[in-house]
């Protein structure tokens, strides 16, 4: 019996060399992506270096974190931003107390309960709208509602309410994405054991996504702590300590920078850059704290 070449198995090469055209295309894409990253890093590093170089002399002074600017003349050296740091932390803390639970609950509803309901679609649409609202519009809304309609005085609490409008959509979006990452198999396994849905969310879903939720919350808080428009519209700047959220003017780090813009002396310039560097350090500390909390959470350490 004769055999032809058609009866013999065809052996193909296990590996074929990459063509020149593919190599050139891959190299070109790699170079373009690398250049894009470097170009994006240039202004970021430049800004950070400028703020550090100009703000470090003020931040390293002995009175920077222990004194306020109360009683100091514009050209007088010294003083500090203790009042501004305390004011920023108080306003951010009050804003977080309202924004974090509200944003997390809305995200849980959108992921776990809404489905394709009309209320879910309306909520998603409103969150998208709030995400693009400028800070000055949020401040004007709170001014019209809190001051004009309710007759309340301008205060730091009104500033926190305006910051809530800016922080909630960021918390909702970040928490929503983290909850979607949680595997559906974990939910179904919990349901199969007879665990109610609310307890599954509280004991399984949220702890699993806790690290990402905390990171998103800290990023949202870092965003609102640097806002200036609500401060200018809803409360005046005070160069002294004020712990009353409902009465009087209150200092803040952005307020220090705005107030010292009208001070052309060397002392004023140093305070501007020092307040800017202090705000950056505060945001960096919050982000580092969020990373540590997420890393050492109970779910991640198991």
């Amino acid at each position: 019996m004769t055999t032809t070449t058609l009866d013999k198995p065809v052996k193909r090469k296990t590996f074929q060399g990459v063509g020149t055209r593919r190599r050139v295309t891959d190299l070109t894409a790699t170079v373009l992506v690398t250049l894009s990253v470097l170009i994006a890093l240039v202004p970021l590093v430049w800004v950070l270096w400028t703020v550090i170089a100009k703000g470090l002399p003020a931040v390293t002074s002995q009175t920077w974190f222990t004194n306020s600017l109360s009683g100091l003349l514009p050209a007088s050296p010294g003083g500090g931003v203790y009042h501004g740091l305390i004011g920023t932390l108080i306003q951010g803390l009050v804003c977080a107390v309202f924004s974090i639970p509200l944003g997390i609950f809305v995200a849980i509803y959108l992921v776990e309960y809404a489905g394709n309901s009309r209320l879910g679609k309306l909520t998603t649409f409103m969150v998208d709208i709030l995400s693009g609202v400028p800070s000055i519009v949020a401040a004007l809304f709170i001014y019209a509602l809190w001051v004009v309609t309710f007759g309340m005085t301008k205060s730091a609490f009104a500033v926190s309410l305006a910051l809530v409008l800016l922080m909630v959509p960021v918390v909702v979006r970040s928490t929503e994405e983290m909850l979607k990452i949680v595997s559906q198999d974990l939910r179904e396994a919990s349901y199969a054991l007879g665990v109610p849905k609310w307890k599954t969310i509280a004991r399984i879903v949220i702890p699993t996504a806790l690290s990402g939720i905390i990171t998103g919350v800290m990023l949202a808080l870092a965003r609102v702590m640097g806002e200036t428009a609500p401060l200018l519209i809803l409360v005046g700047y005070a160069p002294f300590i004020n712990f009353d959220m409902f009465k009087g003017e209150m200092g803040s780090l952005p307020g220090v920078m705005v107030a010292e813009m009208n001070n052309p002396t060397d002392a004023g310039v140093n305070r501007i850059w020092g307040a800017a560097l202090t705000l950056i350090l505060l945001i960096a500390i919050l982000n580092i704290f969020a990373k540590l909390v997420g890393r050492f959470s109970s779910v991640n350490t198991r």
Side-chain angles (χ1 to χ4, degrees):
M1 181 178 180
T2 59
T3 58
T4 62
T5 56
L6 295 177
D7 299 324
K8 297 179 181 180
V10 179
K11 294 183 178 180
R12 295 183 179 180
K13 296 182 180 180
T14 57
F15 177 79
Q16 295 180 355
V18 180
T20 305
R21 182 178 178 181
R22 290 187 177 182
R23 291 180 180 177
V24 173
T25 303
D26 179 72
L27 179 61
T28 303
T30 303
V31 171
L32 291 177
V33 171
T34 304
L35 287 177
S36 300
V37 173
L38 294 177
I39 292 173
L41 286 177
V42 167
L44 296 178
V45 175
W46 195 352
V47 169
L48 185 61
W49 172 257
T50 302
V51 175
I52 293 176
K54 293 182 178 293
L56 195 60
V59 173
T60 54
S61 64
Q62 296 181 354
T63 61
W64 185 252
F65 293 104
T66 58
N67 291 16
S68 66
L69 298 177
S70 178
L72 284 179
L73 297 176
S76 300
V81 292
Y82 177 68
H83 63 296
L85 182 61
I86 294 298
T88 299
L89 290 175
I90 291 176
Q91 294 170 15
L93 179 61
V94 174
C95 172
V97 168
F98 289 98
S99 301
I100 294 175
L102 183 60
I104 292 177
F105 286 151
V106 172
I108 291 174
Y109 169 76
L110 292 176
V111 175
E112 304 293 339
Y113 295 98
N116 293 324
S117 64
R118 292 184 179 180
L119 181 59
K121 294 179 180 179
L122 178 62
T123 304
T124 301
F125 176 74
M126 295 307 298
V127 170
D128 293 337
I129 294 297
L130 281 177
S131 300
V133 170
S135 59
I136 190 170
V137 175
L140 290 174
F141 171 76
I142 295 299
Y143 179 83
L145 180 66
W146 184 256
V147 179
V148 177
T149 304
F150 293 159
M152 302 293 182
T153 59
K154 295 194 295 185
S155 62
F157 185 76
V159 175
S160 297
L161 293 180
L163 297 180
V164 168
L165 297 179
L166 302 174
M167 184 174 176
V168 165
V170 181
V171 176
V172 172
R173 280 289 170 237
S174 59
T175 305
E176 186 179 1
E177 294 302 322
M178 291 300 104
L179 295 179
K180 289 180 179 179
I181 293 176
V182 178
S183 176
Q184 187 65 26
D185 294 339
L186 292 176
R187 297 178 174 89
E188 294 177 354
S190 180
Y191 299 152
L193 294 175
V195 181
K197 187 171 185 177
W198 69 269
K199 187 174 290 187
T200 299
I201 296 172
R203 298 290 183 88
I204 304 297
V205 178
I206 292 180
T208 304
L210 183 61
S211 177
I213 292 175
I214 294 176
T215 302
V217 167
M218 290 297 106
L219 291 176
L221 185 60
R223 182 218 168 186
V224 301
M225 290 180 70
E227 293 291 346
T228 306
L231 300 172
L232 299 178
I233 296 175
L234 297 171
V235 68
Y237 168 74
F240 50 83
I241 297 293
N242 179 20
F243 292 98
D244 192 349
M245 289 286 296
F246 298 92
K247 184 178 180 181
E249 300 174 339
M250 180 177 286
S252 61
L253 292 176
V256 172
M257 289 182 275
V258 173
E260 296 298 328
M261 285 293 293
N262 298 323
N263 184 5
T265 63
D266 293 337
V269 174
N270 291 334
R271 290 165 189 161
I272 292 174
W273 289 108
L277 180 57
T278 304
L279 185 59
I280 292 176
L281 292 176
L282 179 60
I283 294 173
I285 292 173
L286 289 176
N287 283 276
I288 293 173
F289 175 75
K291 293 292 185 181
L292 292 177
V293 171
R295 178 175 297 179
F296 294 103
S297 63
S298 59
V299 174
N300 290 335
T301 55
R302 290 177 182 176

